[in-house]
């Protein structure tokens, strides 16, 4: 229940609204193939999963070094 009621961000709301709109359109136009698309979007919004799954794009590895650390030098103006 926590998963459904918490962490509503903008992408999740967009999926919900798009899923409802596609479902209503498919029922009104009797084009039931789009009803499956609307159902998938509604499922993604309610369960908070993406195409990759929950946290599918998340990596657990933390980089401790700056990627360009050896190329970027601190700016020190010439003082005269």
């Amino acid at each position: 229940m926590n998963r459904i009621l918490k962490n509503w961000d903008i992408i999740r709301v967009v999926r919900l609204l798009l899923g409802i709109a596609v479902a209503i359109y498919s029922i009104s136009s009797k084009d039931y193939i789009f009803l499956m698309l609307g159902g998938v979007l509604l499922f993604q919004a309610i369960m908070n999963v993406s195409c990759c799954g929950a946290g599918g794009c998340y990596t657990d590895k933390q980089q401790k070094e700056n990627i360009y650390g050896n190329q970027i030098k601190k700016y020190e103006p010439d003082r005269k």
Side-chain angles (χ1 to χ4, degrees):
M1 202 63 178
N2 238 359
R3 186 179 204 178
I4 295 172
L5 298 176
K6 304 266 178 166
N7 298 329
W8 281 87
D9 56 351
I10 190 71
I11 299 299
R12 195 169 174 188
V13 172
V14 167
R15 278 190 207 126
L16 180 70
L17 295 176
L18 191 62
I20 290 171
V22 169
I24 289 172
Y25 171 75
S26 67
I27 291 171
S28 66
S29 67
K30 296 180 182 173
D31 192 8
Y32 297 112
I33 296 295
F34 283 116
L35 189 58
M36 291 189 302
L37 176 63
V40 167
L41 288 172
L42 285 171
F43 175 77
Q44 286 180 344
I46 292 171
M47 300 307 285
N48 196 19
V49 295
S50 65
C51 296
C52 300
C57 298
Y58 175 76
T59 58
D60 195 23
K61 298 177 184 176
Q62 294 180 354
Q63 291 182 346
K64 296 183 180 182
E65 294 181 18
N66 188 356
I67 295 173
Y68 300 106
N70 59 351
Q71 296 176 358
I72 299 174
K73 298 187 188 321
K74 184 177 179 182
Y75 175 71
E76 294 178 7
D78 293 332
R79 296 186 182 187
K80 293 183 179 182

